[in-house]
Amino acid sequence: MRPATKDAVNQTLELDLQHGILTIGRALDNDIVLDNPDVSEYHAKIVTYFHMALLIDLSSTTGSFLNGRHIIKHTIKEGDTITLGGEDILIRNINPMLGKTA
């Protein structure tokens, strides 16, 4: 499970990343479900490994944006803001070791 909280004031989703693949979209089987018609069913994914994270657009209709710039695939860092269909996601923390088991 990936820790995520929604900021009640500006409605930004704040996300802590851990090792693995995180899917984001409108479909209910995504790790993060965004109930917004401008978000594709399978909009994007974040792959986190070896102390880095990568945002990948999954051929979405409205595109994926990182800090206001349209991207197809791009590394992300703590403090970055991802925008999918008008929904903002703030990357609060990247800790790839959280999801690992010994």
Side-chain angles (χ1 to χ4, degrees):
M1 195 72 191
R2 288 163 174 72
T5 58
K6 187 101 169 187
D7 181 306
V9 175
N10 61 18
Q11 295 298 304
T12 298
L13 180 69
E14 296 180 356
L15 184 62
D16 293 328
L17 298 177
Q18 61 191 37
H19 177 82
I21 298 172
L22 174 74
T23 60
I24 308 169
R26 209 174 60 245
L28 296 177
D29 60 341
N30 283 292
D31 297 306
I32 295 181
V33 176
L34 299 176
D35 185 19
N36 181 323
D38 292 330
V39 174
S40 296
E41 286 188 337
Y42 301 97
H43 199 107
K45 68 180 174 181
I46 299 173
V47 181
T48 305
Y49 57 99
F50 298 118
H51 303 288
M52 70 175 295
L54 185 66
L55 172 64
I56 303 167
D57 183 81
L58 300 176
S59 299
S60 65
T61 304
T62 58
S64 296
F65 295 82
L66 180 64
N67 300 321
R69 296 183 61 176
H70 182 258
I71 63 96
I72 301 296
K73 184 187 318 183
H74 202 283
T75 56
I76 54 178
K77 62 186 183 314
E78 293 172 358
D80 281 347
T81 299
I82 297 167
T83 305
L84 309 174
E87 300 284 338
D88 289 335
I89 302 170
L90 173 67
I91 303 302
R92 191 171 49 197
N93 184 31
I94 299 173
N95 187 348
M97 300 312 289
L98 285 175
K100 288 211 173 234
T101 57

